[in-house]
Amino acid sequence: MKILINVVNARNVGGGLQVVHNFLLGTQKIPRSDVEWYYAVSECLDTVYLNDEFKANAKGRYHVYPNQPDFFHTYRTVQNKLMQLEEEINPDVIYTILGPCYNFFKHREVIRFVHPWIVTSNPYAWSTLPFKTKVRMKTHIVLLKKLVNRVKYIVTQTEAVKNGLICKLGKVPDSIRVVNNVLPAVYASLDNTPIVEESGWVEIPAVGSGEHKNLDIIPEVLKELEDTYGIKNYRFHITLPKSSPVLPIIETKIKELGYQDRVVNHGNLKQQDLAILYRKCKISYLPSVLEVFSASTIESMYFQLPTVATDLFFNTEVFGDSCLYYTPKNAKEAAKQIVKAVTDEKLRKELQEKMKIQIKKFSSFDKYYNDTVDFLIEVGEGKYDK
């Protein structure tokens, strides 16, 4: 079976691009005799992520295009070239990993859908957006819904998203396959034992970017920790790029409170460097108010970090009872749970034991990969065409 992977829109550093990279590597590291892979990749993937060995193994089936969408310059040219490639290959199915995409195909297409605003948004998430951003997002959602509606077959990460696609967009259940996210394959070769440093600080990672991550609650949590519990030595580690609109909000708040030494921003971190940060930390904090499936949840479990997270379905579906939850955007509740996670040793051990069991559901990249490929083959064979 011929499968064309379409990732010409993989241009931004982040979790989505890591998913693309890991899956592409899987096509060569996990052989499937029933599949012949073809690749349409972005310049970003080609120049930064994919090495010469990968390209040599894919010789004759590997095609590079300018990063998309680029509506004012290369979009029309790339669209025409993709149409030519599709005609030459005549694939049984096309897999767009970062879907929906602005490029259109004639053959059966499967998209991997992970955009939370379309079917799983909530009032907490909308409240994090400035007015202009909220207007742009609502306009963008209208467009994204149209793009999703034109594609029949979808891979997503949670049952909640599948239900949303069925109820809100009228998708057919059999045309949607839930394949849980997994721990990035690179972690399998990385040490996850704690690094103990006698610095006097209690280190806490709060990883992610975007307004919906609600990281601007951190100064309020720090203030609550000091005012209610007299705690001044909890230090949060964030990974916001300099371009993040959230970063100046946090910096202004911590400066007003005099807490500059209690928040450290590392910017974007490679997974190897992020692993070292996790190993130095005592607990994990996930204040996000909107996700499909956050890699931070399974990373926290892998590094055995008792976690405090918002009491929302995308956390409870993954963590189960191995996490301490609080009402979203409630700094007082968050601080209370953080103190418990740090100081209650019996509770910490209970959570860590539950994490060891819970993470087994998300530890097999081979299963994740093969479940996805099985669905692609089923679609390519026309199993769900009726």
Side-chain angles (χ1 to χ4, degrees):
M1 175 170 291
K2 295 180 180 180
I3 301 179
L4 169 62
I5 297 180
N6 166 41
V7 283
V8 299
N9 59 339
R11 60 178 181 171
N12 296 319
V13 174
L17 199 144
Q18 290 295 340
V19 168
V20 169
H21 184 220
N22 288 334
F23 191 89
L24 291 176
L25 296 182
T27 63
Q28 295 188 1
K29 292 181 178 180
I30 308 174
R32 293 281 302 239
S33 60
D34 49 352
V35 176
E36 185 176 21
W37 295 103
Y38 293 80
Y39 309 91
V41 309
S42 64
E43 289 179 346
C44 176
L45 278 168
D46 178 68
T47 58
V48 180
Y49 286 87
L50 298 173
N51 60 28
D52 291 338
E53 180 183 0
F54 181 92
K55 298 171 190 178
N57 290 336
K59 188 176 181 181
R61 295 173 286 110
Y62 182 83
H63 308 271
V64 182
Y65 301 91
N67 300 335
Q68 296 300 305
D70 179 17
F71 295 116
F72 297 106
H73 300 94
T74 62
Y75 171 75
R76 188 178 295 276
T77 300
V78 171
Q79 176 64 58
N80 289 334
K81 288 184 177 180
L82 285 174
M83 291 172 64
Q84 293 172 12
L85 180 65
E86 181 184 7
E87 185 175 348
E88 291 171 9
I89 296 171
N90 191 27
D92 296 282
V93 65
I94 297 164
Y95 182 34
T96 299
I97 302 180
L98 297 178
C101 187
Y102 296 93
N103 299 103
F104 308 120
F105 301 97
K106 296 179 181 179
H107 290 70
R108 298 183 186 94
E109 181 184 7
V110 176
I111 65 169
R112 179 177 174 273
F113 174 81
V114 294
H115 200 296
W117 288 98
I118 297 181
V119 294
T120 58
S121 59
N122 59 66
Y124 296 116
W126 285 111
S127 71
T128 64
L129 300 182
F131 177 75
K132 289 185 178 179
T133 305
K134 190 179 298 184
V135 171
R136 286 197 300 270
M137 180 60 71
K138 290 188 174 183
T139 303
H140 189 50
I141 286 173
V142 173
L143 173 60
L144 289 175
K145 283 184 176 180
K146 290 183 178 180
L147 291 172
V148 173
N149 274 326
R150 60 169 295 277
V151 178
K152 182 176 180 180
Y153 306 105
I154 297 174
V155 171
T156 193
Q157 297 170 300
T158 66
E159 290 293 338
V161 175
K162 178 178 180 178
N163 292 336
L165 288 167
I166 294 168
C167 296
K168 294 187 178 182
L169 297 185
K171 293 295 183 181
V172 177
D174 284 348
S175 68
I176 305 171
R177 180 64 54 87
V178 175
V179 182
N180 288 327
N181 200 2
V182 292
L183 189 74
V186 66
Y187 285 125
S189 62
L190 298 178
D191 189 357
N192 67 345
T193 57
I195 297 174
V196 180
E197 297 180 333
E198 300 299 331
S199 65
W201 289 102
V202 173
E203 313 289 8
I204 304 172
V207 174
S209 62
E211 290 94 337
H212 63 283
K213 294 290 184 179
N214 194 212
L215 296 176
D216 53 325
I217 196 177
I218 289 175
E220 298 174 52
V221 173
L222 284 167
K223 189 174 188 306
E224 182 66 24
L225 287 170
E226 181 170 334
D227 291 350
T228 302
Y229 302 95
I231 293 172
K232 301 180 181 180
N233 67 327
Y234 287 12
R235 181 163 60 185
F236 289 86
H237 294 262
I238 58 178
T239 56
L240 291 173
K242 291 183 179 179
S243 60
S244 168
V246 180
L247 185 58
I249 296 174
I250 295 174
E251 290 175 336
T252 299
K253 287 183 180 179
I254 62 173
K255 186 175 181 180
E256 290 174 353
L257 294 167
Y259 294 166
Q260 293 96 318
D261 59 342
R262 302 185 203 181
V263 178
V264 179
N265 182 38
H266 299 267
N268 289 316
L269 287 178
K270 294 181 179 179
Q271 288 173 320
Q272 292 88 342
D273 296 325
L274 183 59
I276 293 174
L277 172 60
Y278 279 131
R279 292 173 61 198
K280 294 179 180 180
C281 291
K282 184 86 171 181
I283 69 168
S284 180
Y285 179 46
L286 302 176
S288 179
V289 291
L290 184 66
E291 303 287 347
V292 168
F293 191 121
S294 173
S296 303
T297 56
I298 47 180
E299 289 169 353
S300 298
M301 287 192 282
Y302 178 73
F303 289 96
Q304 286 287 281
L305 296 176
T307 301
V308 174
T310 47
D311 190 8
L312 293 167
F313 72 89
F314 52 81
N315 285 324
T316 57
E317 187 171 333
V318 178
F319 278 117
D321 62 355
S322 69
C323 178
L324 296 181
Y325 300 104
Y326 72 96
T327 303
K329 303 195 75 175
N330 189 318
K332 185 178 288 292
E333 283 188 27
K336 180 180 179 180
Q337 296 290 60
I338 287 171
V339 173
K340 284 173 63 177
V342 171
T343 62
D344 189 333
E345 285 301 323
K346 181 180 178 182
L347 175 62
R348 286 175 53 79
K349 291 178 181 178
E350 289 176 355
L351 292 173
Q352 288 170 332
E353 289 303 313
K354 291 176 179 178
M355 281 181 166
K356 291 177 183 177
I357 298 171
Q358 195 71 9
I359 197 174
K360 290 179 181 178
K361 302 176 183 179
F362 312 102
S363 295
S364 175
F365 179 79
D366 283 18
K367 183 178 186 305
Y368 160 84
Y369 173 80
N370 284 313
D371 285 353
T372 303
V373 177
D374 287 345
F375 183 60
L376 297 177
I377 291 174
E378 290 170 6
V379 170
E381 291 174 342
K383 183 175 179 179
Y384 308 108
D385 283 356
K386 294 181 180 179

